Amino acid sequence: MSEITYKSKLYTVIREAYKHDQRVEDYLKFRVQYIKKALKSKGASYNTQTRTIEMLLNGENYLIHEATHHVQYMMEGKTNHSSNFRAIQKKLLFKAMDLKYINAFKLRAYYKYLSSYAEAGKVLGMIEEYVKGKEQDCFFIGYIIPYDKNEIAK
């Protein structure tokens, strides 16, 4: 997908997730850019100075995480993995799933390639909360992920 397509989808996720927030227009001021150099993270990173999500060609599994850094930075003037970061991440992740922008396979890849088990466990908890009670809904069958938490830790 192109940078424009990724930005468009993230823009929609953020706009829909924060449509009742007076600062939503500020949250929508960001760029998505492919880069060729290695990143300190595995597939994407967020540059606060330029408000740019930089991603490698295979970095799409990290976009919600990096968009969370952007929204938190716009809200607080800083970004970290605090409880507020997790709340923003959950809101964006749930909205992306509601919009059918994320599927189980991409989520599974996201967890599998995270740098730490603690991070993967937190995101898995969000997904489990999202799908709880929706097992009978045919639209959500794909979100039931058969996983082994020990496998994700590898």
Side-chain angles (χ1 to χ4, degrees), residues 40-64:
K40 64 181 179 182
S41 66
K42 295 199 185 277
S45 68
Y46 176 66
N47 182 323
T48 58
Q49 294 175 337
T50 62
R51 298 182 188 160
T52 302
I53 296 171
E54 299 170 333
M55 63 182 281
L56 296 174
L57 288 175
N58 63 348
E60 66 272 1
N61 294 319
Y62 299 90
L63 289 176
I64 292 293

Side-chain angles (χ1 to χ4, degrees), residues 75-103:
M75 286 179 171
E76 303 174 8
K78 64 180 181 178
T79 184
N80 52 36
H81 294 126
S82 65
S83 60
N84 191 42
F85 176 90
R86 297 293 172 209
I88 296 165
Q89 184 180 30
K90 180 178 171 180
K91 189 171 193 168
L92 295 179
L93 191 58
F94 281 24
K95 186 50 68 179
M97 288 189 296
D98 286 347
L99 294 167
K100 307 280 191 262
Y101 287 166
I102 294 179
N103 66 38

Side-chain angles (χ1 to χ4, degrees), residues 122-134:
K122 290 174 183 168
V123 178
L124 279 170
M126 292 177 198
I127 301 309
E128 289 169 358
E129 180 181 337
Y130 183 83
V131 299
K132 188 175 183 174
K134 297 178 181 174

